[in-house]
Amino acid sequence: MFSVPTQTPSTIKDYVVIDLTDLVKAWLNAPSTNLGISLAPVGASLLAQFGTKENSDVSDAQLEIDFVGGGGGGPTCPTEPTGLTGATGKTGATGATGVTGSTRATGNTGTTGVTGNTGNTGAAGPTGATGPTGDTGATGPTGDTGDTGATGATGPTGDTGATGATGATGNVDAAGTVVATSEATTATTYTDLTTTGPAATVTISAGGTAIVTVTATSSSDNNSNSCFMSFAVTGISANDVRALQKNGRNSNEPETFSATFYVTGLTAGSNTFTAKYKAEADTCTFLNRNIVVIPLP
């Protein structure tokens, strides 16, 4: 708070001069400090009255401001930037279209002139070129066939043609054998019976293929088991893929079956095909065993 020295007027209605220059400067430097001016009593109380310009019975309270010295004036206030250009006003309404002028009337058609006299006939022109030849007419009917002429003499015999290529070699040296003896086995892998075979020896061509047929009458002592007849040859063991299989139906009831196989991958040259046998379980009996081998070219 800014304070001034205590002022004690000597008489009533006497002017009191108070220098507030520093106070006003403080307000200018910090406007938030401008809380106005108050009168405070020195003693126990203060009695003060202020007149207004509307009351003519009392004097007005007055604040006198004296500007001391030229000082060259205060700093020049900065020039404010030019304000934004205002929005363009709305375009005025389009004026009304002028009235279209009237169309002039079409003039009358002129009178047709008088037809002139017919001129004299001109001289005859030259003869035109000959026109193109017409299409050939249709062919006439064929005449009657003449008598057959005499038979001519027989011509000489032609040369003998070249000998044709030799045909492919046919099947060679097919073989087959039979073993009629009834014999049994309990082996569950392929084996020989007491009488080995039957066996057939043939010559296999370079193609390495043959047709093999095996036949047998067989039976099992257990109708739940099967009997197998296969064959072995050089490089190929007996197996179920190339086997005659007789499924058990009635115990010890012989039945005859055959199976034929196309065999590949054989070794060229002489090969012996030998029948082999096995039982699924228990005992299988075989008789009238037969093997036939047909080599293919």
Side-chain angles (χ1 to χ4, degrees):
M1 175 182 295
F2 181 85
S3 62
V4 297
T6 301
Q7 300 291 330
T8 304
S10 58
T11 60
I12 298 175
K13 297 184 180 180
D14 190 9
Y15 282 102
V16 177
V17 178
I18 301 174
D19 186 356
L20 300 179
T21 301
D22 291 336
L23 175 61
V24 174
K25 287 181 179 179
W27 288 352
L28 292 175
N29 292 329
S32 61
T33 63
N34 183 358
L35 303 177
I37 300 171
S38 64
L39 297 177
V42 176
S45 63
L46 170 67
L47 176 61
Q49 293 181 345
F50 294 92
T52 65
K53 63 182 180 68
E54 289 83 11
N55 188 348
S56 59
D57 295 332
V58 296
S59 299
D60 297 337
Q62 297 181 8
L63 175 64
E64 180 181 350
I65 299 174
D66 295 329
F67 294 97
V68 179
T76 303
C77 292
T79 303
E80 292 295 331
T82 304
L84 300 176
T85 303
T88 303
K90 296 182 179 179
T91 303
T94 303
T97 303
V99 178
T100 303
S102 57
T103 303
R104 289 288 184 177
T106 302
N108 297 326
T109 302
T111 305
T112 303
V114 178
T115 302
N117 297 325
T118 302
N120 297 325
T121 301
T127 304
T130 303
T133 303
D135 296 334
T136 302
T139 303
T142 303
D144 297 334
T145 303
D147 296 334
T148 302
T151 301
T154 302
T157 302
D159 297 333
T160 303
T163 303
T166 303
T169 303
N171 294 336
V172 293
D173 123 39
T177 57
V178 178
V179 174
T181 306
S182 176
E183 296 172 336
T185 183
T186 59
T188 56
T189 58
Y190 285 102
T191 186
D192 292 322
L193 299 181
T194 302
T195 303
T196 302
T201 301
V202 296
T203 301
I204 299 299
S205 69
T209 57
I211 300 295
V212 180
T213 301
V214 290
T215 305
T217 300
S218 61
S219 63
S220 172
D221 63 356
N222 186 328
N223 60 9
S224 298
N225 297 324
S226 298
C227 299
F228 297 83
M229 177 182 180
S230 183
F231 58 90
V233 66
T234 304
I236 300 177
S237 302
N239 57 65
D240 292 346
V241 175
R242 288 184 289 270
L244 166 65
Q245 178 180 352
K246 186 265 183 184
N247 296 323
R249 290 189 293 181
N250 297 318
S251 300
N252 299 315
E253 181 177 318
E255 294 180 293
T256 302
F257 293 92
S258 287
T260 300
F261 304 95
Y262 173 67
V263 184
T264 62
L266 298 171
T267 303
S270 180
N271 285 264
T272 299
F273 294 75
T274 304
K276 302 290 181 178
Y277 308 87
K278 77 171 185 176
E280 182 179 7
D282 300 317
T283 301
C284 282
T285 302
F286 300 87
L287 69 156
N288 296 328
R289 296 168 277 153
N290 189 343
I291 186 168
V292 176
V293 181
I294 303 174
L296 298 177

